[in-house]
């Protein structure tokens, strides 16, 4: 459901969006939530693939937001470089026991 204050806030984008496109605008709120709105700037009455994808995204955001957030977190974590500790030449076997020496200098 579109609240009038949110609609008025998003109306400022109407004239700046590219023609013949489908757009989703998402803004964070101070309460930790999001406001989102979609725009169809095409003049075509046809139901195109782009339109179906837009509607699908909007449906997912309305009904499965937790899953969308989870997938977003997974995508971000995949992009993060994980710093692994250097253990080269610090591990050796002694009497069938693996020993790992940790240095506190790093």
């Amino acid at each position: 459901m579109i609240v009038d204050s949110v609609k008025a806030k998003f109306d400022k984008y109407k004239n700046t969006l590219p023609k013949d496109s489908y757009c989703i605008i998402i803004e964070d709120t101070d309460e930790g939530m999001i406001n989102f709105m979609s725009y169809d700037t095409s003049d075509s009455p046809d139901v195109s693939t782009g339109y179906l994808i837009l509607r699908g995204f909007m449906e997912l955001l309305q009904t499965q937001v937790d899953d969308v957030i989870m997938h977003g977190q997974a995508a971000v974590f995949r992009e993060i470089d994980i710093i692994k500790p250097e253990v080269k030449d610090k591990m050796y076997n002694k009497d069938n026991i693996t020993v790992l020496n940790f240095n506190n200098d790093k």
Side-chain angles (χ1 to χ4, degrees):
M1 182 166 135
I2 301 173
V3 179
D4 287 339
S5 62
V6 174
K7 185 176 182 330
K9 186 176 185 179
F10 281 107
D11 275 346
K12 64 184 175 188
Y13 296 112
K14 261 196 300 196
N15 298 324
T16 62
L17 299 173
K19 273 297 204 193
D20 298 320
S21 64
Y22 306 98
C23 305
I24 298 175
I25 298 175
I26 302 171
E27 289 184 340
D28 290 316
T29 68
D30 293 336
E31 297 83 31
M33 304 295 285
I34 62 166
N35 290 324
F36 61 92
M37 185 169 280
S38 66
Y39 288 95
D40 173 359
T41 64
S42 70
D43 293 328
S44 174
D46 297 334
V47 176
S48 67
T49 302
Y51 180 75
L52 291 174
I53 290 172
L54 173 73
R55 293 300 302 266
F57 280 150
M58 295 305 290
E59 181 71 16
L60 284 173
L61 286 172
Q62 290 176 332
T63 62
Q64 299 178 35
V65 70
D66 290 337
D67 290 337
V68 172
I69 290 171
M70 180 186 67
H71 285 285
Q73 289 170 333
V76 169
F77 291 145
R78 280 193 304 271
E79 295 170 357
I80 295 175
D81 290 331
I82 298 174
I83 301 171
K84 297 178 182 172
E86 293 182 26
V87 294
K88 185 179 178 183
D89 300 327
K90 297 186 186 224
M91 193 179 315
Y92 61 91
N93 287 322
K94 180 179 181 183
D95 299 326
N96 205 23
I97 298 173
T98 301
V99 177
L100 175 61
N101 290 327
F102 289 95
N103 292 338
N104 290 332
D105 58 349
K106 287 190 176 183

